[in-house]
Amino acid sequence: MYGPQGNGGGSARRPAQRSAKVTVPEIRSRKGISPIAMVTAYDFTMARLLDEGGADMLLVGDSLGMVVQGHNTTLPVTVEEICYHGRAVARGARRAHVVGDMPFMSFQLSPVHALENAGRMMKEGSFESIKLEGGAEIAEHVRRIVAAGIPVMGHLGLTPQSVHAMGGFKVQGKGDEAAERLIADARTLDEAGVYAIVLEAIPPDLAQEVTAAVSVPTIGIGAGAGCDGQVLVCYDLLGMFRELTPKFAKRFAEVGDQIVEATRAYVDEVQSRTFPAAEHSFKPNGPRRAPVAAAPAKPEFPPADEIPAHWQTH
Ligand code: KIV
């Protein structure tokens, strides 16, 4: 895989499967018929695995600011970064549709600014559609982007780019007024031409109402089972992100524990010189006619009496 004679490892390796790409018209047509499974992805290897697992859509979410870059919010993420990860994910996605998240301040300024950056993401990020957060206030932005032939996914409820305005990552749409505003926003986005809407962290009965009120699929995250599809952050789904686990994030595996265990085993084998074994090494050259002379002893570096105190661990 990486060099000569690599076999790619992985006892569960399967032959590459090529099925038709999931398209925007297909996603739309699945509303109320066949639930859509979306998951975030940020790199080639993960995209390939999630695609093989049958994910219909891969979202290069700005959540990468938190789970890949280690920030507390998604706000620092840039268009360049989303595009960089998008290109990697697109190479891994054989069947899944690839969506790019428009990061904070890449679309809010004006409909034209939004169109410019959406176009850039399609050209430079290899995306097949884009997603942006917000309701009625971005309806015109959505119209302009859709008119240019770029499919747009909406995102309502807990919109992480507004974390400071919301006072934290909190459930949204609670109470009649907030619920009605959210339904109105969903209808406005539907009319503006989105092909699907993410509903994040809202009460399940409200998500069901929104799902009934719009003509396009809703994709829930922390919005109950009544949506037309679901989305999870891949590191949550796999049990790899250990900093926080939102209530709605079911961990379908504990890959994080496996990574720690595997790393411990590797470190032990390196230290005990049991790795690499003969099967991980290339064929020996055989005895040399003129054996290589041993390297001359080097002077101590740094001289023992000059070792800085903070290097000395015992
Ligand atoms: O950025 C992201 O990962 C998202 C999903 C959680 C919907 O927007």
Side-chain angles (χ1 to χ4, degrees):
M1 186 170 165
Y2 303 110
Q5 302 295 314
N7 65 5
S11 54
R13 243 181 143 225
R14 287 181 214 151
Q17 290 168 351
R18 283 208 180 267
S19 7
K21 262 269 179 189
V22 175
T23 62
V24 164
E26 179 193 328
I27 293 158
R28 291 190 69 134
S29 72
R30 284 171 60 175
K31 181 171 176 71
I33 295 175
S34 164
I36 299 154
M38 179 159 91
V39 59
T40 68
Y42 315 101
D43 66 67
F44 170 84
T45 300
M46 189 69 87
R48 205 20 87 78
L49 294 170
L50 299 170
D51 188 89
E52 191 177 321
D56 298 305
M57 306 181 79
L58 297 180
L59 168 67
V60 179
D62 62 358
S63 50
L64 73 85
M66 299 175 76
V67 299
V68 176
Q69 298 175 334
H71 296 295
N72 288 333
T73 71
T74 60
L75 304 191
V77 177
T78 65
V79 171
E80 286 77 9
E81 289 164 349
I82 288 280
C83 287
Y84 169 84
H85 289 275
R87 289 191 293 276
V89 168
R91 286 181 210 116
R94 293 171 191 272
R95 172 183 168 272
H97 176 89
V98 183
V99 191
D101 217 356
M102 294 198 74
F104 181 58
M105 279 301 134
S106 69
F107 63 91
Q108 284 91 342
L109 297 186
S110 71
V112 171
H113 182 238
L115 175 58
E116 268 171 7
N117 277 321
R120 192 171 158 208
M121 284 174 56
M122 300 296 280
K123 281 159 101 73
E124 296 173 24
S126 306
F127 293 113
E128 294 158 336
S129 66
I130 58 94
K131 170 170 94 56
L132 35 70
E133 296 181 6
E137 73 284 4
I138 53 138
E140 194 46 39
H141 307 49
V142 171
R143 268 186 216 106
R144 290 295 281 264
I145 301 171
V146 170
I150 301 172
V152 177
M153 176 181 278
H155 184 156
L156 292 170
L158 196 175
T159 45
Q161 291 175 18
S162 308
V163 59
H164 297 303
M166 293 181 306
F169 297 106
K170 293 183 176 161
V171 177
Q172 301 296 303
K174 289 206 280 192
D176 282 356
E177 206 185 307
E180 271 154 33
R181 210 176 323 119
L182 203 138
I183 294 170
D185 277 339
R187 286 196 167 123
T188 305
L189 289 180
D190 190 9
E191 281 155 19
V194 296
Y195 73 91
I197 304 174
V198 167
L199 299 177
E200 179 164 353
I202 63 172
D205 46 348
L206 173 58
Q208 246 174 318
E209 275 188 90
V210 174
T211 301
V214 295
S215 71
V216 294
T218 56
I219 302 188
I221 174 162
C227 297
D228 297 301
Q230 298 292 325
V231 54
L232 279 179
V233 167
C234 62
Y235 293 154
D236 288 339
L237 180 162
L238 296 169
M240 289 169 71
F241 189 63
R242 286 134 102 85
E243 314 311 304
L244 72 118
T245 305
K247 176 181 165 59
F248 52 74
K250 177 169 174 184
R251 297 159 79 102
F252 286 81
E254 291 299 337
V255 175
D257 288 347
Q258 283 191 289
I259 291 175
V260 172
E261 280 313 305
T263 309
R264 282 200 184 115
Y266 166 69
V267 170
D268 283 352
E269 291 198 17
V270 168
Q271 287 175 348
S272 63
R273 294 188 189 277
T274 48
F275 174 82
E279 67 265 33
H280 308 117
S281 305
F282 297 105
K283 224 170 118 200
N285 259 347
R288 291 177 67 81
R289 266 169 289 142
V292 177
K298 289 217 180 87
E300 234 183 311
F301 177 79
D305 55 352
E306 285 177 27
I307 292 177
H310 67 274
W311 282 21
Q312 293 167 8
T313 52
H314 45 252

